[in-house]
Amino acid sequence: MKEMILPEFNSNDEREAIITGKAAKNALLAILILTPIALATMALMLTFEGKFPIMLTILTAASIPITGLITYYFSYRHHYLQ
């Protein structure tokens, strides 16, 4: 069960290096896709000025690295369990 949640890292394992590379690639791809969407959303929020525009802008900017971390985690688990 431990391997499903947090697999042990072994720097000498070639399979694990490949899995880490695939997971990092997927995380970078998610960040590259989300960044223009988040920037457009932030511009629209600041343009139309809702009740809390600055707070929503900060939350939108914070969602970019969080999405990368979540994508990395699920991608790593997916490739590790195959």
Side-chain angles (χ1 to χ4, degrees):
M1 187 68 174
K2 180 183 175 187
E3 288 82 16
M4 291 177 62
I5 298 171
L6 185 65
E8 295 182 18
F9 294 104
N10 184 1
S11 60
N12 296 329
D13 188 11
E14 184 178 328
R15 177 179 174 261
E16 190 165 321
I18 292 171
I19 291 171
T20 302
K22 287 180 182 178
K25 178 183 145 195
N26 291 340
L28 179 64
L29 183 63
I31 289 173
L32 289 176
I33 291 172
L34 181 68
T35 300
I37 295 169
L39 290 175
T41 304
M42 289 189 310
L44 288 174
M45 279 190 275
L46 290 175
T47 302
F48 294 116
E49 290 190 32
K51 192 171 183 181
F52 302 105
I54 301 299
M55 180 68 134
L56 291 175
T57 303
I58 292 171
L59 289 175
T60 304
S63 70
I64 296 171
I66 292 170
T67 303
L69 290 172
I70 291 171
T71 304
Y72 177 84
Y73 174 74
F74 283 116
S75 178
Y76 189 90
R77 275 190 56 204
H78 171 74
H79 292 297
Y80 187 81
L81 294 176
Q82 283 184 345

